[in-house]
Amino acid sequence: MLFERKITIDSFNALVLLVSISTVEMSSAFFIMMMLSFADILEFRTKSQANRAIEELMKLNPKTALKEEDGKIVEFPIDKIKENDILLVENGGRVPVDGIVIFGNALINESSVTGESMPVEKVINDHVLSSTLNESGVIKIKATRASGNSTVAQIAKLINDASKNKSRVEKLADKFAGYFMPFVIFIAVAVYYFTKDVSMTISIFLVACADDLSVAIPLAMTASIGRAARRGVVIKGGEWLDALSQMDTLVLDKTGTLTYGRLDIEADHVDLEVGEGKFWYFVAIGEKFSEHPIGKAIFKKAATKMNEVPDPEKYTVIEGAGVKAIYGKDEIIIGNENVLSEIKNDHVEKLRKFIDEERREYRKTISIVILNGKLLGIITITDIIKKEARDSLDKLKKEGVKNIVMFTGDNEEVSKEVGLVLGITDIRSQMTPESNMTHLEDLTKTHFVGMVGDGINDAPALARAGIGIAMGKKGTSVAIEAADIVILSDNLERIPEMVNLSKRTMSVIRGDIVIWVISNIVGFTLVFTGVAGPLFAAFYNFITDFFPLLNSARLFRQKS
């Protein structure tokens, strides 16, 4: 129904234009038309600027790819690539689709996607992104996605969809118009009823035109989202830029977020009857389909010990503990001390005590390997804290994010060691996906909480938090889909950058509203004192409309 439709700023502007034309104030109508036309042109140019980085990125995507057939290198169209195809990327060529390196090594420049200028060395089992440049070396990759579903294509879609998610302030502006329009109509009718002054009545409508806000606020949001995209950060709409400015608590997953996830893996106390070769064989099978950063690192280490790793016949995630795999008649369990309950003998408590002593001595994360209910050996894991982590967390505190919380599945000793280095005092150790949600629920009762993660196990928490931030370079597609902001470079420095950008954006928008209020107060004063007639009111409105627009345009010029 017509009467059920919302009254927005655009509908208010249409009413003002209708009043001008119906009262034959064509000069006034001309100024309004000019302003609205200019607004449309500016909005189109703004969206073009915001999408330019994505358009340029799409142009970098190669049109063809290379693969080997019968000993020859064959070139074929990129849209023919299917998942699991084996492709060749030569020195100087661009990676055609997202994939995993299965042969060779190369220096890959990822600046076109992540904004990071330094090339990254890629070796077997490393992920590569479409459109990135091979600066040195030759690699073969196995495609993990078809060309139409690549990371670059997803980024483009997210940026295009971002405008649909209006921020709180944009929604408030439209809601305000719903009240402001009837108010102006009431004032104008009252003025005409008491004064019979048609000129003053028309002037009230012309001075009150709100077309500047209808452009200035989306302009600020679009400018900032475009700036973020050029820094390798995808913000899925103004709604999340607004939310980021309100965040006072940030929860970070440890492995792969605060740390590099490049783990030093060593075998320890391997069953002598089995031997180290057989030990790594069972470990590789058990961790082959793991999505956890530690599991992936263990598999990568184990896979270097053999030519081929068979697929397990059955694979199960033991939440909060580890994984269970069935291969032939063998049952393989790998995980933290919670998997000790799977051992079918009387030495569990003795083993638990032994593992506690090992952990205290070496300050390492420990993964236990069990074969058919018997302890096969122990894997010790050492992670490296990201060099920018401490500085990034300090910057976040300066930006008003006072509470930094670390979630980790590690034991308390290892967690405290990391927390001490990073200056984090609120540490939640031995966490499971269920306890993640419970602790997050408690935090959201008193704080506006952001969550940073990268794995499938982080996805529920990313979706539940006030704002979810996925580290997208190594993150799973599930985590990226659940998040509201995706950091493509996995660089923690981007988080304080984006918080700062969000606060500057909201400050600019508040400035837009203040400018609009002051210009309207002055305009109404000029009309009621008889200084401004319809033509002057329209001209005044046309000139003052530029002030909030120029204020919003500052976001295009400001340096990060």
Side-chain angles (χ1 to χ4, degrees):
M1 295 292 292
L2 178 63
F3 295 106
E4 293 176 345
R5 295 187 65 177
K6 292 182 179 179
I7 301 173
T8 65
I9 289 176
D10 289 334
S11 58
F12 182 83
N13 293 338
L15 175 66
V16 175
L17 184 61
L18 182 64
V19 169
S20 298
I21 295 172
S22 63
T23 55
V24 201
E25 286 288 343
M26 301 311 295
S27 298
S28 303
F30 170 74
F31 280 117
I32 299 298
M33 287 292 290
M34 276 186 63
M35 187 59 219
L36 292 176
S37 298
F38 174 77
D40 287 339
I41 293 169
L42 185 62
E43 185 175 17
F44 173 77
R45 188 167 183 271
T46 301
K47 288 180 179 178
S48 297
Q49 283 183 313
N51 290 328
R52 188 175 299 161
I54 302 302
E55 290 171 359
E56 289 174 358
L57 183 57
M58 295 300 287
K59 289 178 184 176
L60 293 175
N61 217 29
K63 304 298 182 187
T64 59
L66 301 175
K67 66 177 179 180
E68 285 187 15
E69 283 186 358
D70 301 324
K72 295 180 180 179
I73 297 175
V74 179
E75 188 174 9
F76 67 105
I78 191 172
D79 56 9
K80 300 293 184 182
I81 297 175
K82 300 186 293 294
E83 192 173 333
N84 296 322
D85 278 354
I86 306 301
L87 308 170
L88 181 69
V89 184
E90 295 180 323
N91 185 10
R94 290 194 179 272
V95 178
V97 292
D98 296 353
I100 298 175
V101 179
I102 60 170
F103 171 83
N105 59 79
L107 282 178
I108 303 294
N109 188 328
E110 300 179 326
S111 60
S112 58
V113 178
T114 67
E116 298 291 330
S117 57
M118 290 295 292
V120 181
E121 184 179 10
K122 298 291 183 179
V123 296
I124 292 172
N125 286 330
D126 282 345
H127 288 265
V128 289
L129 300 174
S130 60
S131 301
T132 53
L133 178 65
N134 181 2
E135 291 191 347
S136 175
V138 176
I139 54 175
K140 288 181 183 178
I141 66 170
K142 181 168 74 172
T144 54
R145 295 177 182 176
S147 60
N149 194 33
S150 67
T151 298
V152 172
Q154 285 185 321
I155 294 169
K157 184 179 184 301
L158 290 173
I159 292 295
N160 289 330
D161 290 345
S163 60
K164 299 174 185 177
N165 297 318
K166 283 191 174 184
S167 68
R168 178 174 50 97
V169 71
E170 288 175 286
K171 292 173 184 175
L172 282 174
D174 276 346
K175 187 175 181 180
F176 162 76
Y179 293 109
F180 185 61
M181 183 171 162
F183 172 75
V184 171
I185 292 172
F186 173 79
I187 294 296
V189 170
V191 166
Y192 181 76
Y193 178 81
F194 289 108
T195 67
K196 307 299 182 188
D197 190 333
V198 176
S199 178
M200 181 178 289
T201 303
I202 296 170
S203 299
I204 289 170
F205 280 110
L206 295 172
V207 162
C209 186
D211 46 2
D212 44 0
L213 279 186
S214 69
V215 179
I217 293 176
L219 174 66
M221 287 294 180
T222 308
S224 294
I225 290 172
R227 176 179 288 278
R230 289 190 291 276
R231 295 291 289 164
V233 181
V234 177
I235 300 176
K236 298 180 181 180
E239 178 182 357
W240 309 116
L241 194 64
D242 184 3
L244 198 60
S245 70
Q246 302 173 60
M247 182 177 69
D248 64 359
T249 299
L250 185 64
V251 176
L252 300 105
D253 178 58
K254 181 183 79 70
T255 305
T257 302
L258 290 169
T259 62
Y260 285 108
R262 295 199 298 266
L263 307 175
D264 181 25
I265 309 291
E266 296 293 339
D268 197 6
H269 299 285
V270 175
D271 188 330
L272 294 177
E273 293 181 7
V274 176
E276 194 163 319
K278 205 69 173 174
F279 171 80
W280 285 117
Y281 172 77
F282 285 116
V283 167
I285 294 171
E287 294 285 17
K288 185 166 186 179
F289 297 136
S290 177
E291 287 289 346
H292 193 280
I294 289 178
K296 288 180 177 179
I298 291 174
F299 171 74
K300 189 173 180 179
K301 171 80 172 186
T304 62
K305 308 283 185 179
M306 60 200 67
N307 295 324
E308 188 176 351
V309 180
D311 293 344
E313 293 157 15
K314 188 177 179 182
Y315 183 85
T316 308
V317 175
I318 308 171
E319 291 192 353
V323 297
K324 180 189 291 187
I326 304 295
Y327 180 67
K329 295 179 179 180
D330 294 314
E331 180 188 70
I332 309 155
I333 299 173
I334 306 173
N336 58 31
E337 56 262 45
N338 292 331
V339 304
L340 288 174
S341 59
E342 303 287 337
I343 295 181
K344 302 177 179 69
N345 61 41
D346 299 326
H347 304 298
V348 172
E349 289 307 317
K350 186 178 179 181
L351 280 170
R352 199 182 298 275
K353 185 178 178 181
F354 166 74
I355 288 164
D356 284 342
E357 290 172 355
E358 288 284 299
R359 186 187 300 114
R360 289 193 194 97
E361 183 177 354
Y362 297 110
R363 288 289 192 271
K364 294 180 178 181
T365 300
I366 287 177
S367 201
I368 301 156
V369 184
I370 300 168
L371 178 66
N372 301 323
K374 181 183 176 183
L375 180 67
L376 195 64
I378 292 171
I379 299 171
T380 59
I381 303 144
T382 308
D383 204 352
I384 303 169
I385 296 170
K386 289 182 178 178
K387 62 181 179 181
E388 79 274 9
R390 179 63 187 257
D391 187 48
S392 298
L393 297 182
D394 289 342
K395 286 178 180 178
L396 278 167
K397 290 173 183 176
K398 290 177 182 178
E399 291 291 346
V401 184
K402 300 300 182 185
N403 307 305
I404 306 294
V405 185
M406 183 174 78
F407 282 7
T408 176
D410 275 340
N411 60 80
E412 192 172 344
E413 289 85 359
V414 174
S415 304
K416 283 183 177 179
E417 197 82 13
V418 174
L420 187 65
V421 174
L422 295 176
I424 301 174
T425 55
D426 192 345
I427 300 166
R428 318 287 174 96
S429 56
Q430 294 182 311
M431 299 285 279
T432 65
E434 289 81 5
S435 59
N436 279 351
M437 293 298 289
T438 302
H439 284 252
L440 199 61
E441 291 280 357
D442 289 341
L443 286 168
T444 54
K445 290 175 183 176
T446 53
H447 300 283
F448 194 99
V449 182
M451 171 76 192
V452 186
D454 65 348
I456 286 178
N457 59 319
D458 299 319
L462 290 173
R464 174 62 188 88
I467 182 164
I469 304 170
M471 306 301 282
K473 189 175 177 182
K474 294 177 185 174
T476 64
S477 57
V478 176
I480 293 170
E481 185 67 29
D484 309 307
I485 294 176
V486 180
I487 300 175
L488 297 168
S489 64
D490 281 337
N491 188 339
L492 284 171
E493 290 179 336
R494 294 291 182 266
I495 300 177
E497 276 183 26
M498 292 304 110
V499 172
N500 178 268
L501 177 63
S502 70
K503 289 182 180 293
R504 284 191 286 121
T505 304
M506 300 315 296
S507 176
V508 164
I509 288 173
R510 285 192 291 273
D512 292 341
I513 294 170
V514 169
I515 291 169
W516 179 85
V517 169
I518 292 172
S519 63
N520 269 275
I521 290 172
V522 172
F524 277 122
T525 302
L526 292 174
V527 169
F528 286 129
T529 56
V531 174
L535 183 59
F536 183 84
F539 178 74
Y540 172 86
N541 186 286
F542 178 70
I543 295 299
T544 55
D545 275 351
F546 283 94
F547 298 154
L549 295 176
L550 292 173
N551 184 52
S552 288
R554 288 190 298 127
L555 289 167
F556 283 110
R557 300 190 300 272
Q558 289 177 351
K559 292 182 179 179
S560 298

